[in-house]
Amino acid sequence: MKKIRLAILLIAFLLAGKPGSAQLAPVTASSSDIYLQLKKLNVLGSVLYIAAHPDDENNGFLPYLAKEKLYRTAYLSLTRGDGGQNLIGPEQGIELGMIRTQELLAARAIDGAEQYFTRAYEFGFSKRADEALDTWDHQQVLADVVWMIRSLQPDIIIARFPPDKRAGHGHHAASAIIANEAFRAAADPKQFPEQFKLGVKPWQAKRILWNTFNFGATNTTSEDQLKIDVGGYNQLLGRSYGELGGEARSMHKSQAEGRPRRRGEAIEYFVTTGGDTARKDLLEGVTTGWERLITETRYQAVVENIQSQVQSIIEQYQFTQPEASVPALTKLYQTIRSQLPASVWKQQKLKEVQALVENCSGLFVEAFTQQETAVRGDTVRVNCFVNNRSGVPVSITSIALEDGLRDTLPQQMTTKNQNYNYAMQAVINKSSQTTQPYWLAKPRENDGMFVVDDQMQIGEAWNPASLYASFIVEVNNVPFTFKRPVMYKYVDAARGELYQPFVIAPHAEVFMSPSVALLNVKDTDGNKRSDSMVHVMVNARVAMPQSVTALNIRQDVIHTIFANKQTSLEKGKRYQFDIPVSKVYNPKAPMKFLEATFSMTAPDGKNYNYSDFFKTIRYDHIPAIHFYFRDHVKLVDDEIKVRGKKVGYIAGSGDAMPEALRQLGFEVKVLEEADMNAATLQTLDAIVTGVRAYNIYSWLSNKYDVLMEYVQQGGNLIVQYNRNTQGNTPAPKIGPYPFVINAGARVTEENAAVEFALPQHAVLNSPNSITAADFEGWNQERSTYQADRIDPRYEAPLRMHDQDEPATNGSLITAKYGKGNFAYVSLVLFRQLPAGVPGAFKLLANLIALPKNP
């Protein structure tokens, strides 16, 4: 039978500190938590919740299932949210998907559920389920969900959405279609039979339900549906499930999903869509006690004995002396291990009992290093630490590192609250893999699916750790193995003791800038603004003395920048090489990007080539994320004309606008609140606000009059898209005349036809002539959060629409105001500029160049 994914459980178990911290520390449960875990021993019921994205889960409902009903609860998100938007930084695509994966794991650490995924890539907002299923590989995603059902064997399945337009998103509807198909397919031995050789078997859940909702304009609930109040208060936790749900939801920080801790009644509604209809309870008709394991008469006495042991442990539990339960728990562990046949529930309950033994005994076990990275061939000092804080009989038998080195210790009895430290040397094998999320190990074959060849990895939220230490410990003479990931542990002067993943890095890495190089930018008089340069940086993670090095740049062919150069690279030092694009660029080559390879011949004669960038993403609320990719510079040789010299930029939630402006040849001044004065602004030809800037900075609304005065005096203000405000927050003041932001008005088909409603408008003609060709090659979508209910004093030069929908004109609106111009741009320039779409740069140049009014 497939094993529970250790990495997921460890991350959920090890997340420590207040919600929102990135501390990956071993944690011992409180006495109240332990009592709740003891009660859960008597519950053998499970629920699988299925939706499309991170933040689709019902955060008030999951803690009710996990901590009130005490069911084993799991959330299966079909995607990792790669195609979403990002409030907290510039990451998009797979980088955002990794952030949102870790945010889900942080949420699960709060609500007590487990987290799983399929191989589907989140390719952006979709309005149709058929588009989602066509872009994904329908059968592959179905196979992944069937695999998870057969692995977890849930008693019931709950879909978050309906399989139609009421879901509000094509991915949402597709997740419901697949969930209902998988409910049936998982039980069919003819469906995906190749899975059975890996230990799973057909599994029929009792029922599948739809968790209906009231999302304002869309209310799918009714009083004849199954109703459950999930807002109860848990006195052992000191919080309601609404409070836990608010904390979990607030971990989705990249999506601006901060939520209050809700108290009071919270009614959830359900409709059965397959299997036996539930009328009073979600698990109606499901045996959720130990008796479900009486599969044969010979196991009846065993199960009754286990039930009796568990009940006795619960009744005799002492809140002030949890360690008193340890002898009974070790006996229970032995009984389950030796007398029950193999099953998902045997495996699950052994895991739960071992965690209770550890928590009741106050046993603290960890393995850590004082370095975050190592390279293949390194020897790393690993500190292995044990403290028996309660004084129960505990002896340390041995500690083993995964690299094969073992420190066999004598049978060492521990003394209460004494520290036992063992320094070990781990050799990072030369065959060890550089740290990389498993779903990124191979390139995607299409826009819809990640490539994962190992069936046993499918569903996992994250990779296993780079290195583990196994502690074999006897508690009351019963052996237990505690497998701990080796962590990087350090003390931050402001945040205190912190833990981060320990990772394997390459010996050297290569990265390049800029991400997009514009090769043919000219003033309106035809003069070229500048010659483009490409910068290649080599970062050495180990010392490379007396090596013969070479640097090659590849477009269609390899261009050698230098070769046979005697170099000694210092560990930790960055080396930069500046190369004129004209030296390596071939305008006739079909490949419109540059890649770099740094080669080295060591003194021993061995050759090494480095071409990947090992990148780290850091945010305080999640662990550091490490991954590698082949960096490159996208080349754009279209002629782009510009007017103006200096542009102000107000940072938003993260986009590539400053780099894009510099590539256009503008001097860029990043504006802060203190710069919002006439003396500073009058030096600027235009001001561009980053995406969601008005949602992030309340001072932008407060400086409305200053900005409007800037426009009146002849400046151009270009506002990229913003979102609607939530709660009691007043709508930001943005434009000179009224318009509203419509979250539902968006064009998600990146190849949607664009109509030039005002073909003579300056933004379509000067200094660049905009044609239909400038809307070719766009990524993911056309526009989002369009302007609506637009004052007639605005002009809307563009119209566009998705399939089977009426055209809208809110993707770009402009207004003359005094001598200057205002523009609200919901065209997704923040996706197109980093991708090097020439038309996006031309549109941006034209917006900046809008002429002054008389």
Side-chain angles (χ1 to χ4, degrees):
M1 185 57 63
K2 185 183 178 187
K3 294 183 179 180
I4 301 303
R5 295 157 173 80
L6 180 61
I8 298 170
L9 297 176
L10 280 170
I11 290 174
F13 176 69
L14 298 174
L15 273 166
K18 298 183 294 184
S21 72
Q23 294 188 345
L24 291 168
V27 150
T28 302
S30 70
S31 191
S32 293
D33 290 332
I34 291 171
Y35 187 68
L36 202 61
Q37 293 170 11
L38 287 172
K39 293 175 65 178
K40 189 168 185 170
L41 280 182
N42 262 334
V43 180
L44 285 73
S46 57
V47 178
L48 177 62
Y49 199 87
I50 299 178
H53 309 115
D55 79 14
D56 281 349
E57 77 272 29
N58 187 333
N59 292 103
F61 180 47
L62 294 184
Y64 167 83
L65 292 172
K67 296 179 181 294
E68 172 66 27
K69 302 302 289 185
L70 302 176
Y71 299 144
R72 184 184 181 192
T73 305
Y75 175 44
L76 174 58
S77 176
L78 298 193
T79 76
R80 297 175 184 269
D82 320 80
Q85 298 161 11
N86 186 358
L87 178 72
I88 60 176
E91 296 84 7
Q92 297 180 27
I94 60 171
E95 295 185 6
L96 179 58
M98 290 185 282
I99 291 171
R100 297 185 71 183
T101 295
Q102 287 292 350
E103 289 179 337
L104 271 180
L105 288 170
R108 297 296 80 80
I110 293 168
D111 61 34
E114 300 168 26
Q115 183 62 55
Y116 301 97
F117 295 91
T118 76
R119 288 171 288 175
Y121 175 72
E122 207 268 86
F123 58 87
F125 195 96
S126 171
K127 296 178 180 177
R128 306 192 327 270
D130 63 330
E131 180 191 35
L133 295 173
D134 287 346
T135 304
W136 298 335
D137 185 315
H138 187 156
Q139 283 299 107
Q140 277 193 18
V141 179
L142 177 61
D144 291 356
V145 178
V146 167
W147 169 255
M148 291 310 307
I149 292 171
R150 289 171 174 171
S151 299
L152 298 174
Q153 297 183 2
D155 293 311
I156 66 167
I157 299 167
I158 301 175
R160 183 61 177 126
F161 298 106
D164 51 46
K165 287 191 174 182
R166 292 174 297 173
H169 193 312
H171 297 176
H172 294 171
S175 73
I177 291 170
I178 288 176
N180 282 274
E181 290 176 348
F183 167 75
R184 297 183 293 271
D188 185 351
K190 296 180 180 179
Q191 293 278 351
F192 312 110
E194 67 278 3
Q195 295 178 358
F196 300 138
K197 63 185 178 183
L198 297 174
V200 299
K201 61 184 180 180
W203 180 257
Q204 179 63 71
K206 184 72 171 178
R207 64 181 59 88
I208 182 170
L209 305 101
W210 167 31
N211 181 191
T212 62
F213 50 79
N214 182 355
F215 291 162
T218 305
N219 184 2
T220 62
T221 66
S222 67
E223 292 305 309
D224 61 349
Q225 297 171 358
L226 172 62
K227 298 189 297 183
I228 301 174
D229 180 5
V230 304
Y233 175 69
N234 190 315
Q235 294 199 7
L236 291 173
L237 300 175
R239 286 176 287 179
S240 70
Y241 303 115
E243 290 173 294
L244 288 171
E247 293 175 7
R249 188 74 180 177
S250 296
M251 297 311 300
H252 295 294
K253 298 183 188 303
S254 68
Q255 304 305 295
E257 285 293 324
R259 290 294 184 269
R261 297 179 177 91
R262 292 193 170 95
R263 300 164 187 86
E265 183 182 73
I267 304 299
E268 293 292 337
Y269 296 78
F270 303 88
V271 173
T272 302
T273 61
D276 293 347
T277 300
R279 303 187 186 280
K280 295 183 178 179
D281 185 73
L282 290 170
L283 267 67
E284 199 170 286
V286 177
T287 300
T288 59
W290 285 94
E291 57 270 21
R292 74 181 297 163
L293 300 186
I294 305 177
T295 54
E296 299 178 29
T297 304
R298 60 184 172 139
Y299 294 121
Q300 181 165 348
V302 174
V303 168
E304 289 175 352
N305 179 29
I306 291 171
Q307 288 176 309
S308 176
Q309 288 186 51
V310 171
Q311 193 57 38
S312 176
I313 292 170
I314 294 172
E315 291 174 355
Q316 297 180 33
Y317 178 68
Q318 301 176 47
F319 279 84
T320 58
Q321 290 184 296
E323 66 272 18
S325 298
V326 170
L329 285 167
T330 55
K331 178 183 176 183
L332 175 64
Y333 183 86
Q334 290 177 301
T335 302
I336 295 171
R337 184 177 59 183
S338 63
Q339 298 184 28
L340 282 179
S343 70
V344 166
W345 279 114
K346 176 181 179 179
Q347 177 182 305
Q348 179 68 13
K349 291 304 172 181
L350 281 173
K351 177 179 73 70
E352 291 177 15
V353 175
Q354 176 162 326
L356 280 163
V357 169
E358 182 178 0
N359 288 329
C360 285
S361 64
L363 189 62
F364 187 93
V365 178
E366 70 171 356
F368 64 92
T369 73
Q370 293 182 318
Q371 61 187 80
E372 186 172 20
T373 63
V375 301
R376 291 183 293 275
D378 271 355
T379 298
V380 178
R381 177 188 170 102
V382 177
N383 299 290
C384 298
F385 176 90
V386 178
N387 185 301
N388 173 9
R389 291 175 289 187
S390 71
V392 299
V394 172
S395 63
I396 305 169
T397 301
S398 67
I399 303 172
L401 294 178
E402 206 171 51
D403 65 352
L405 299 179
R406 176 177 291 272
D407 185 1
T408 303
L409 304 171
Q411 285 284 348
Q412 179 170 347
M413 286 298 297
T414 61
T415 302
K416 180 178 179 179
N417 206 29
Q418 294 297 304
N419 295 334
Y420 296 86
N421 292 284
Y422 304 95
M424 304 177 68
Q425 300 296 318
V427 176
I428 307 303
N429 296 325
K430 293 187 177 181
S431 60
S432 298
Q433 296 296 312
T434 301
T435 297
Q436 178 80 331
Y438 73 89
W439 64 96
L440 302 180
K442 289 189 173 182
R444 295 198 316 275
E445 294 178 351
N446 54 53
D447 289 338
M449 299 295 294
F450 292 109
V451 176
V452 180
D453 294 332
D454 184 353
Q455 180 69 41
M456 300 302 288
Q457 288 183 315
I458 292 173
E460 294 184 10
W462 206 261
N463 290 23
S466 299
L467 182 66
Y468 286 93
S470 292
F471 297 75
I472 299 178
V473 175
E474 290 190 3
V475 183
N476 272 8
N477 296 317
V478 177
F480 293 90
T481 299
F482 296 101
K483 189 174 182 181
R484 290 289 189 263
V486 175
M487 305 298 295
Y488 165 50
K489 178 180 176 180
Y490 64 105
V491 176
D492 180 270
R495 299 169 58 206
E497 184 178 83
L498 297 173
Y499 293 73
Q500 291 287 1
F502 167 71
V503 298
I504 309 300
H507 290 83
E509 56 184 321
V510 176
F511 53 105
M512 306 176 73
S513 73
S515 59
V516 177
L518 304 183
L519 309 183
N520 198 8
V521 178
K522 296 179 179 179
D523 290 323
T524 51
D525 58 9
N527 295 323
K528 197 169 183 179
R529 284 228 162 177
S530 63
D531 290 325
S532 294
M533 299 287 291
V534 170
H535 312 288
V536 179
M537 281 72 68
V538 177
N539 185 37
R541 294 182 179 270
V542 295
M544 301 178 182
Q546 299 302 310
S547 299
V548 178
T549 60
L551 178 63
N552 296 309
I553 299 290
R554 183 174 75 95
Q555 187 189 5
D556 57 328
V557 297
I558 294 175
H559 301 270
T560 299
I561 306 305
F562 59 78
N564 300 318
K565 183 177 180 180
Q566 194 75 19
T567 308
S568 291
L569 301 185
E570 298 178 27
K571 180 178 179 180
K573 187 172 180 179
R574 178 177 297 176
Y575 299 83
Q576 179 169 321
F577 307 97
D578 303 324
I579 305 150
V581 175
S582 58
K583 185 175 181 179
V584 294
Y585 176 55
N586 178 5
K588 296 181 179 180
M591 180 173 156
K592 295 298 184 183
F593 57 88
L594 300 176
E595 296 176 333
T597 300
F598 182 76
S599 302
M600 181 191 75
T601 302
D604 61 4
K606 292 184 179 179
N607 296 313
Y608 301 91
N609 294 317
Y610 302 99
S611 57
D612 290 331
F613 178 25
F614 191 68
K615 185 173 181 178
T616 301
I617 299 172
R618 296 187 190 276
Y619 290 102
D620 286 349
H621 68 297
I622 55 175
I625 295 168
H626 306 267
F627 67 107
Y628 63 84
F629 62 95
R630 183 73 180 267
D631 205 4
H632 67 272
V633 175
K634 177 72 181 290
L635 304 174
V636 177
D637 58 8
D638 295 50
E639 182 181 82
I640 303 173
K641 297 177 181 178
V642 297
R643 183 185 300 125
K645 297 184 180 299
K646 189 174 182 180
V647 176
Y649 172 70
I650 300 172
S653 62
D655 57 35
M657 183 60 72
E659 181 180 322
L661 293 170
R662 293 185 182 102
Q663 280 294 306
L664 286 168
F666 294 110
E667 177 187 349
V668 179
K669 178 173 177 56
V670 178
L671 300 173
E672 306 287 349
E673 182 177 7
D675 298 312
M676 294 293 105
N677 58 76
T680 300
L681 302 188
Q682 69 181 4
T683 66
L684 306 172
D685 295 296
I687 297 172
V688 181
T689 68
V691 295
R692 299 188 187 179
Y694 283 82
N695 299 134
I696 298 172
Y697 304 119
S698 59
W699 58 260
L700 270 174
S701 289
N702 297 335
K703 298 296 182 179
Y704 171 81
D705 292 337
V706 176
L707 288 168
M708 289 302 103
E709 177 65 19
Y710 164 76
V711 176
Q712 278 190 317
Q713 295 303 315
N716 290 338
L717 176 60
I718 302 155
V719 175
Q720 294 188 85
Y721 89 93
N722 285 265
R723 294 182 63 175
N724 299 320
T725 54
Q726 297 176 346
N728 298 322
T729 305
K733 297 169 68 176
I734 296 177
Y737 310 118
F739 71 91
V740 298
I741 297 169
N742 186 343
R746 57 202 305 172
V747 177
T748 65
E749 296 168 8
E750 66 272 20
N751 58 355
V754 178
E755 174 191 348
F756 293 179
L758 300 174
Q760 302 306 314
H761 195 288
V763 80
L764 302 178
N765 292 279
S766 179
N768 300 284
S769 177
I770 303 299
T771 69
D774 291 305
F775 290 93
E776 294 176 359
W778 280 47
N779 289 335
Q780 189 167 312
E781 55 193 339
R782 289 284 195 211
S783 68
T784 187
Y785 295 92
Q786 290 186 4
D788 199 2
R789 289 155 51 188
I790 303 166
D791 186 282
R793 286 169 285 188
Y794 286 102
E795 295 179 304
L798 301 177
R799 290 170 58 85
M800 59 190 71
H801 65 91
D802 282 327
Q803 179 180 318
D804 301 326
E805 291 190 355
T808 59
N809 66 351
S811 60
L812 171 60
I813 61 172
T814 68
K816 297 176 181 178
Y817 188 67
K819 296 179 181 179
N821 301 276
F822 169 85
Y824 177 77
V825 186
S826 76
L827 295 169
V828 288
L829 299 183
F830 73 97
R831 296 196 193 279
Q832 313 315 320
L833 296 173
V837 176
F841 282 95
K842 292 179 184 179
L843 279 166
L844 176 60
N846 285 10
L847 286 163
I848 292 169
L850 283 171
K852 289 188 178 184
N853 306 306

